[in-house]
Structure formats: structure tokens, C-alpha cells
Amino acid sequence: MEKLALFFPFFLSFFYAFFISSANGVNCLDQGQTVVEMRGITKRFPGIVANDNVNLVVRKGEIHALLGENGAGKSTLMNILFGLYQPDEGQIFINGKEVQITNPNVANELGIGMVHQHFMLVEPFTVTENIILGNEPRSGLKIDINKAARQVVELSHRYGLKVDPHAKIENISVGMQQRVEILKTLYRGADILIFDEPTAVLTPQEIHELIEIMRNLVKEGKTIILITHKLKEIMAACDRVTIIRRGKVIDSLAVADTNPDELAAKMVGREVTFRVEKKPSVPKDVILSVENVTTMGNRGVNALNGISFEVRAGEILGIAGVEGNGQSELIEVLTGLRKVQEGTIRLNGKEITNQSPRVISESGLSHIPEDRHKRGLVLDFSMSENMVLETYFHPEFNQKGFLNYEAIDKHAERLIKEFDVRTPSIHTPARALSGGNQQKAIIAREVDKNPDLLIAAQPTRGLDVGAIEFIHKRLIEQRDKGKAVLLISLELDEIMNVSDRIAVIYEGKIVGIVDPKETDEQELGLMMSGGKTMSGGGNG
Amino acid sequence: MNKWRNIFLAESTLVPLAAILLGLLTGALAMLAGGFDPLLAYQSLLKKVFGNAYNFGETIRQITPLIFTGLSVAFAFRTGLFNIGAEGQFIMGMLASVYIGIVFDLPAYIHAPLAILAGALAGGLWGAIAGYLKAARGVHEVITTIMMNWIALYLANYILASFLVPEGKQNSEPVKETAVITIGWLSQMFDSARLHWGTLLALIAAVVFYVLLWKTKLGFELRAVGFNPHASEYAGMNVNKNVVNAMLIGGMFAGIGGACETLGVFHYMSISAAMPGYGMDGIAVALIGGNTPLGVILGAILFGMLSFGASGMKFGAGVPVELIRVVIASVIFFVAAHGIVRYLLKPVLAKQKEGS
Ligand SMILES: Nc1ncnc2c1ncn2[C@@H]1O[C@H](COP(=O)(O)OP(=O)(O)O)[C@@H](O)[C@H]1O
Ligand SMILES: [Mg+2]
């Protein structure tokens, strides 16, 4: 008995020591444990090394950013991790074990889920149906949809992903659709989540919410790999960042130890300026005048409600607004892709209301479309052919119905050189180029038409810092040459930096026109949400 | 030398070739299952095709209309349209040419070309109707072209019976000598196999196909609309007009094919309960040929040989003629399912890549 009593404190201290050390050990493992390791990954595509001996280490519970310009090879690397591509060389370790991820099913089993840049949802199906698709809970032969809905609600509560489980995909916003994609991966039990440029399609508000969601996920023990080229987001949300340039890893560092300027320089390979350098504008004659234009949208209600504004030569008018307030319809009406019910549009004093796209284009209007894949390019055409998409019938390219491909190729060579479009050759299909280079090509084509009015719709959507800088410079160059530029963008930063005047569109009307030097995000935000109308500057 | 080697080892050549071999193999298995000797059957098929001058000439005759209908389908396909209506366009071409051939009295150098032109226009018009319905009303061309096939068949029968076929007969009167395009001396060389200028026209048509699509302004527009109508609209092209044009030109290819068949081979047209079938085979030819003009010609040669040689298989090996349809179907299957072929060819293609 005494002996035991004697030993007791001993015992206690022993236990205590053991407990502490083991708790420490667990803690260490939790923080530092490597969940994903990619070693020496090389992936070649015809004519390009998309990943060149890439090493990537992702630790448990972190938000790891993959930063790089368009075409750097980020998606390729993640598609390899998700089993969509097979690497030519290299190894992958998940939780320390080497694995062969031959297809996405294997990735699923390993707990890897991916939210792609383009959503893969069935539009007429409900949220729940989409989430359980391919993995349905059954009762007998029937799908137990109620049980599924309960599971979805449970998951969405747990991670703070608010969705209506019975809403149809076609009726919910893009931000909501993205949540459905995230829930899909969680429903399949993913612990490692890959997001491929998730914020490219979101409004500033939705981006905030997404960052909140990612934090919740990490808190619940998930690991996140975030592909992005937006430095702001990395600084706000991520723990570590790996920078890829032209297929090679440049650096991998803790976000706390770096700053946006350093990241941008590493990503692009040179110093970049975020400020847009420009002289004050010298507006001259009115080039575009829009008067009381009304048009029907696709939903059967008016998308434009008597909108009026002017753009003068030598100025950039920026149109700010929340998505879906008539921006797309405005562009379509101006370029002849949609009919106007009321009102008049004049270009250089000549009426172009309801004229065909060709007539309008030939009257001196160029247009960088918001959806470059849908409108801007024929992806299966060669670059050479795409460069004359609107001018192939001009006498320099077309003699009596026969096309002069020699002239067309020469024209393409010149533009591609002038605008630094990186393409293996002018005969490469547009599909094979990276987004930034596709956009550069479109801009080359549109600017080369020497238009009086250039409409730039979302010209930098989905592009990296280097390309954005290039495009902004070109827009300002047009202005300085005495052309009129109409910039329509959802990126408030872009509007504020590039425009000489800002018109705010709300529910198909201009609710105010302000000077970017005399306004701030606060005021613009208020106007964009319909909370404030400026009677002074606006004429809408 | 090297260039040729590369052409033959390129994926675009290797895959269809492998598909054809796999098709023949599947056909052989079907024959084995039926208790026939596949080697003997294929031997007899080849013997039938190449065995004597007459049969060789007749094989060429069989190939000719397939080139036309193959081009018709391929042309529409290049512009984003699925032309199931080559059959009907072919029939309308036959009808128009036979009408001109019988009713008019003209010197040969005008009569035959006029009859062919009429066939082209009739086939083109038939296609353009489907194109118009798509452009103006949004009706899918697959539905309309199938319907137009049946309308063509019965309309042709009605017009034949009412105007061109003598009471109580099945066949129309023959066309006038001046409208006939059979090549007499060549036919004689091939033991009176029915050879005609249409074969040359078919080859010219393939060249026209190429030039039109890849060298002209019209072709630029047609291809642009086919690949991406939204971008074409943005670029100021008239998408609807191009849809009609594409179907018009596609229909003309089939229409000329029909005209050559009547003017060159039969010299008359019959009231018929069934479709001639060239239009449907044209879909397969276009598919095998990858919708390129050269591919279409090669596909038509394969198809013509298989379907003409089939009767040889019956004589030589007792294999029912229908079995050749199994072979053809298998070839089409493997061409369409080129994923399977690529998978089987993986080692070969991988070596290719390393080599290049
Ligand atoms: N399936 C493919 N075939 C050929 N080239 C490809 C393919 N996928 C990507 N590439 C090329 O690989 C490079 C890297 O592309 P990607 O990984 O998509 O870049 P990122 O996601 O960083 O923008 C680009 O040059 C792209 O054109
Ligand atoms: Mg990408």
C-alpha cells in the first residue's frame, strides 16, 4: 500500500508527461503533415511543356494558392492531381503514400475533389439532384430524394454553404451554382479540395462569401488548393503560395512573409505597375449618342429602360454596375446583335439603330466581346483566319469571291507581332492558345480596324496581371489617338483606374455619371445597388 | 519517301485504316459464326471486283454516286448541318434530269449539260427547303430532310406516273440520245460496263468541294457559321443565309449524282417503292472519309467495292449478300467509335510521337 502511494505521484507525472508529449505530437502532425506531394511532374503537350519538373507540397489544413499567369500550367497540374491527365514524368504522394491517379474516380476515392473553372451541372435538375448525381441514396429501387435533401442541408449547415436544396440550377445565380459544385465534392467525401479560378465569375460580394466558406472548410479539417491569379485574394485568404511561371515552379512561400508586389514580380518575371499611367483626357466631338433606348431582355421584361448617354472622342467612358442590370443587352444593342424597341443610337451623327452588325462594324465601331469563346473567336479556325473574321470580304483579302490567303497570312503575322500574341504559328487553331493570348488577338483585330468607337466588354475577365496591364495600355492608347472608348466591366478597380468618366447602370438605366477622381467605391457601390441617384451628372 | 511514310503513319490515316480492318475482322467472325469460310468470302469479293473488266467497270459505276452523296453529306457537315436528305436530293436530281432528257429536243452539247444542271438545281432546291425551314422556323434539319426524302420518293413516283411513264408500265421512256452521258468507247473497253462522264464529274466535284470551302469567301463564311454561329453573327455574317446556302450546295452535289445515274447508267427512271439507298450510304461514306473530299472519294471506293463485291461472296463462298451489311456496319461502328480504335492503336501511336 505504502509502496503504491509512493509510486502514485510518480505515476501521475509519468502519465502527464506522456499525455503532453503525445498531444504535442498529434498537434505537430495536424499542422505539418503533408497531404499532397507532387514530385518532379512533367507534362508535355504538342509544342509545349505545360509542367516542367514541378514540385508541390501541400500541408494538411492549409489554403494553398497556386499562382501564375494564364497558360502557366496551373490547371494542367491540378488536372493531373485529379486524374484527368497522366503526367509524362513524376510521382504523386497522398498522405505519404505513392499513388497512380489514373482517372477522377481514383481521385475521388483518395478524397480529392475539384471545382472546375467551368461548372459541370445539369441545368434543369435541382440542387439536390445535381449533388447526388452518380451517387444516389436509394430506398429499394427508388432514389430517396428526401434523405438526400436532408444530407445536403446538413452539409450546407456544417460548412456555411447556404443553398436551397430544391431550387433548379437554371434559376440560381452563378455564385450559388459554385456552392453546389463545392457541395458535390463534399458529398463525395473529399478532404482535399481544388478550386480552379473560382472567383473569375463572382461579384465582389460573392468573393467575400467564398473566402468565408473556404475558412469554414479548413476549420473542419479540409485542405484547399486555390488556383488564382488575383493577388488580393491570395493575401486575404491563403496560408501558402506556390508560384508557377511557364510551367516551372518559381517559388513557394508563406503568404505572411510576402507582399503583392513581390508576388506579381515573381509571377510575371518583371516589375509590374498596378497604377494605370495616363494623362488627363481631352474630350472632343460626340462619337456615340444613345437616346432613350428601350429593349426587351431574354426573360421577357425590359432589360434597357430608356437609357441615354454619350461618349466623346478622346475619352473613356466606363459603365459600372452589378451583373445583370442591362450591360449585356446594351452591348448587343450597340453592336446590332439585338433589336431596339424604342430610342435612337447614333455613331458619328449617323443613325445606326437596328442596323446589322456588319453595317455598324463598317461604320467605324469595334467591339471586344465579353465572351471571347462564344462571340470573339471561331476556336476551330486558325489564328490567321480569326484575324480577318470581320474583314475577310474587304478587297485586300477577297478578289471576286476568292480569298487571298497570302495577304490574310501576312496580315496575321503583322498583328501577332505588333500585339505580342504568343502562338506557335499563325496556322494554330485559336483553341490552342491561352486565354490571355486569345484576348490579345481579339484586341489586335479590333484595334487594327481603326475604329472611331471601341467597345470593350469585360476585356480583362479571367486574365493575369501582365495581360491586364497590356490591355489597359491599349485602351488608353486608343483614347490618346482621339478615339472614343466605351468600357463595360464588373471589376470596379478596372473602371476606376481606366475611365475618364463613370456611368453607373442600374435596372437598364444610367443612374448617375461621376468623375473617378471625385468618387470612391462606397459611393459607386451605393449607386450600383440603386440606393443613390445622381441627378447632376446623369441624364438617364 | 519520308513524307509518304508520314502520311501513312499519321493518326488521321491510321485510325480509319485500323477501323476498316477491325470491321472486316468482325465481319469474318460473323461469317465464322454462320459456318462460312471468311477467307474464301473475302477472296471471292476481291475476285468479283477485280476479276474481269466488266465487273471492274461496274464497280466504278457503283462508286460514282457514292462520291456525290458522300460529298453532299460532308459539305453540310462542314457547315454544322446534318444532311440526312441526300437520298431525296438524289431522287430529285434523277427526276429533273430524266424530265429534261425526255421532253426536250436539243443538240448534245447543250442537252446533256442542261439535264445535269436541272438535276443539280432540283437537288439543291430540295436541300435548300430544309435549310430555309431551319433558318426561318428553327426546325431541325434532321427531321425535315428525312421527311423530304419520303416526299421526294412519292412526288417522283407521282410525276413519273402522270407524265413520263407510259400507261401500264413501270419505267419511263428512255431519255433522248443527246442527253445520254455514257462513254461509248470506254464502255466497250470494259465489256459494256456502264461507264459514264459522271465519274469524272464526281472527281471534279470533289475538287470544287475543296476550293469552295477552303479558298473562297463563301466557304470562309460557311465554315465559320458551321463552327460557331454566334461568332459569325458577331462578325457580321448572315447566319440564316449561310444555312440555306450550305444546304443548297450540299443538295446540288447529291442532285448531280442522281442526274448522272439516270443519264449515264439507266437512261430512264422507274416508279419505285423503295429509296435508291445512295443517300444513306453517303452518310457512312462521309463519316469514314472524315468529311474531307479525298476521304470521301476513298470511302466511296471502299463502299462501292464492298457492296458490288458482295454478290461475288454469295457465288464464291455461299455467304448471303446481307452479310456484307454486317461488314459495312462494323466498319462504320469502328470509325464512329474511333476512341476504341485509338485505344487499340495506343502503342503504335505512342511510338509515332516519340519518333516525331
Ligand atoms: N489538352 C491540351 N492540349 C494541348 N495543350 C494544352 C492542353 N491543355 C493545356 N494546354 C497548354 O498547356 C499550357 C498550360 O495550360 P493551363 O494549364 O491551362 O494553364 P493555366 O491554367 O495556368 O492558365 C498552355 O499553353 C495551354 O495552351
Ligand atoms: Mg486554367
Side-chain angles (χ1 to χ4, degrees), chain A residues 92-214:
Chain A
I92 302 175
F93 300 84
I94 302 293
N95 294 317
K97 264 211 313 260
E98 178 163 12
V99 290
Q100 303 290 332
I101 308 178
T102 45
N103 62 56
N105 288 335
V106 177
N108 270 334
E109 277 160 29
L110 290 168
I112 303 171
M114 184 158 176
V115 176
H116 293 273
Q117 211 163 346
H118 302 276
F119 301 153
M120 306 187 178
L121 297 170
V122 186
E123 296 247 309
F125 278 20
T126 66
V127 167
T128 303
E129 285 166 338
N130 266 285
I131 290 172
I132 63 172
L133 200 65
N135 211 344
E136 304 87 355
R138 292 169 197 277
S139 62
L141 283 176
K142 262 181 59 200
I143 294 176
D144 190 345
I145 200 78
N146 288 327
K147 184 178 167 202
R150 276 199 308 277
Q151 284 179 334
V152 168
V153 170
E154 201 257 318
L155 271 176
S156 71
H157 275 304
R158 188 153 148 219
Y159 298 107
L161 286 150
K162 264 175 263 154
V163 286
D164 170 4
H166 300 294
K168 287 198 171 145
I169 297 296
E170 57 199 4
N171 297 331
I172 62 178
S173 70
V174 176
M176 281 293 163
Q177 293 181 12
Q178 189 172 57
R179 292 181 181 188
V180 176
E181 285 281 11
I182 300 173
L183 280 170
K184 240 166 80 181
T185 63
L186 293 172
Y187 179 80
R188 283 162 178 67
D191 288 318
I192 303 160
L193 285 91
I194 306 167
F195 292 100
D196 194 347
E197 309 214 3
T199 58
V201 289
L202 301 184
T203 64
Q205 185 58 31
E206 287 171 325
I207 293 176
H208 271 297
E209 288 167 12
L210 178 67
I211 291 180
E212 219 31 62
I213 290 167
M214 290 197 295

Side-chain angles (χ1 to χ4, degrees), chain A residues 492 496 502 504 514-528 532:
Chain A
L492 220 42
M496 303 256 280
I502 301 176
V504 179
V514 291
D515 184 332
K517 287 190 288 293
E518 286 162 18
T519 188
D520 53 24
E521 265 184 54
Q522 196 96 32
E523 189 189 27
L524 283 175
L526 208 56
M527 288 164 77
M528 280 159 65
K532 184 180 174 191

Side-chain angles (χ1 to χ4, degrees), chain B residues 66-217:
Chain B
L66 292 176
I67 298 179
F68 281 115
T69 53
L71 289 176
S72 168
V73 176
F75 193 87
F77 199 83
R78 282 278 170 196
T79 61
L81 296 164
F82 209 3
N83 180 17
I84 313 285
E87 197 77 54
Q89 294 144 18
F90 193 86
I91 295 174
M92 293 313 284
M94 289 169 78
L95 181 69
S97 66
V98 116
Y99 180 83
I100 301 283
I102 294 172
V103 172
F104 283 73
D105 243 331
L106 293 163
Y109 59 89
I110 299 179
H111 201 178
L114 185 72
I116 292 174
L117 191 69
L121 287 179
L125 180 75
W126 218 243
I129 293 173
Y132 173 78
L133 287 172
K134 169 146 198 170
R137 293 260 164 257
V139 195
H140 201 280
E141 73 276 9
V142 166
I143 298 184
T144 45
T145 50
I146 292 177
M147 283 171 38
M148 297 293 284
N149 284 346
W150 293 101
I151 297 174
L153 179 68
Y154 292 113
L155 181 68
N157 281 347
Y158 171 77
I159 291 178
L160 283 171
S162 315
F163 304 108
L164 300 170
V165 173
E167 196 101 20
K169 293 251 175 67
Q170 276 297 305
N171 298 341
S172 73
E173 288 168 32
V175 297
K176 304 260 158 62
E177 261 315 299
T178 45
V180 166
I181 59 167
T182 312
I183 312 174
W185 53 268
L186 198 64
S187 279
Q188 265 169 14
M189 265 172 58
F190 281 86
D191 279 340
S192 57
R194 294 161 293 176
L195 288 167
H196 54 87
W197 289 111
T199 309
L200 184 68
L201 271 183
L203 297 178
I204 294 173
V207 176
V208 169
F209 181 109
Y210 173 78
V211 172
L212 200 60
L213 269 189
W214 282 285
K215 296 288 168 211
T216 68
K217 170 172 155 271

